[in-house]
Amino acid sequence: MTYIFRFAVTYDDGMAPNSQDGTLSLLSCKPDVRLQARVGDWAIGYRSKRLGGLCFAGKVAQKLTIGDYQTEFPDRRDAVYRRVAVSSNGEEQFERLRPDYHAKDDLWRKDIRGRYVLVFNPYWYWGCGGHNPPEFVVDMAHPYIGHARRASVAQVQALEEWLATEPGGHLGEPCEPDVVKRRLCGGC
């Protein structure tokens, strides 16, 4: 079964998700989504109720460990953790490359708990300008902190058909690019 993961993008600063150089990725925040999603699943990031609309939509094309992602994409803005060791039980240990990003221990540990990075293709990143979707996509919005993932076959098909009619890729800019407000982030 294909799932549609749905959640709010609390801070659109170009880090979670990161649309850069023709690739959309999700490395930080949403650790449960990153653990549970599989290649072929979909993700929809809704903007806050205050801003409305969608921030992004994408189909999971790759699911990489955080360490493998940083090795494969070292120059990306969101490659903020470098693998320095792997324990005997397979757990990766990391060095923080941007101590200013998720500076509080509980926040970066939450990132690491997600273990994986999702890379989306195809994807639609509308960013701060947002995008007003059809009513059935609005109706799927997750109204609480966290995320939802269940979707019917009909919802997945309708989402794919609608997105096929939309231009894809990087279509807008983040609301607050490169702003280091994640130090106090609690909405991941």
Side-chain angles (χ1 to χ4, degrees), residues 17-184:
N18 175 20
S19 178
Q20 179 183 350
D21 302 327
T23 300
L24 183 73
S25 57
L26 184 63
L27 175 139
S28 61
C29 293
K30 300 301 175 199
D32 293 330
V33 171
R34 293 182 291 118
L35 282 168
Q36 296 170 20
R38 301 167 306 198
V39 170
D41 286 339
W42 287 89
I44 301 174
Y46 292 83
R47 290 161 31 98
S48 69
K49 287 183 181 181
R50 179 178 55 84
L51 297 173
L54 300 181
C55 176
F56 82 95
K59 188 172 190 174
V60 179
Q62 291 180 277
K63 184 174 179 177
L64 304 170
T65 67
I66 293 171
D68 288 345
Y69 177 79
Q70 198 281 328
T71 300
E72 189 170 333
F73 298 100
D75 297 326
R76 287 181 58 84
R77 175 173 44 250
D78 63 345
V80 295
Y81 304 112
R82 178 183 302 133
R83 178 177 45 218
V84 293
V86 179
S87 68
S88 60
N89 67 357
E91 292 289 319
E92 295 181 307
Q93 298 170 4
F94 297 96
E95 165 190 15
R96 292 181 357 192
L97 300 176
R98 276 191 57 187
D100 63 326
Y101 183 76
H102 278 178
K104 292 173 67 177
D105 284 351
D106 62 328
L107 294 176
W108 74 268
R109 286 187 205 291
K110 192 179 206 181
D111 283 347
I112 300 306
R113 184 175 65 79
R115 296 186 58 197
Y116 298 99
V117 180
L118 304 178
V119 179
F120 301 96
N121 189 21
Y123 77 91
W124 294 257
Y125 177 78
W126 296 284
C128 195
H131 189 68
N132 293 320
E135 195 64 31
F136 79 90
V137 177
V138 173
D139 290 345
M140 288 193 298
H142 183 65
Y144 310 106
I145 293 173
H147 71 279
R149 73 173 189 164
R150 296 238 179 249
S152 69
V153 171
Q155 286 174 314
V156 172
Q157 183 176 357
L159 177 68
E160 290 175 345
E161 288 173 0
W162 169 63
L163 288 171
T165 68
E166 295 288 319
H170 185 92
L171 305 166
E173 296 303 320
C175 292
E176 300 177 273
D178 299 319
V179 171
V180 182
K181 67 186 331 179
R182 300 282 179 122
R183 183 168 309 174
L184 303 174

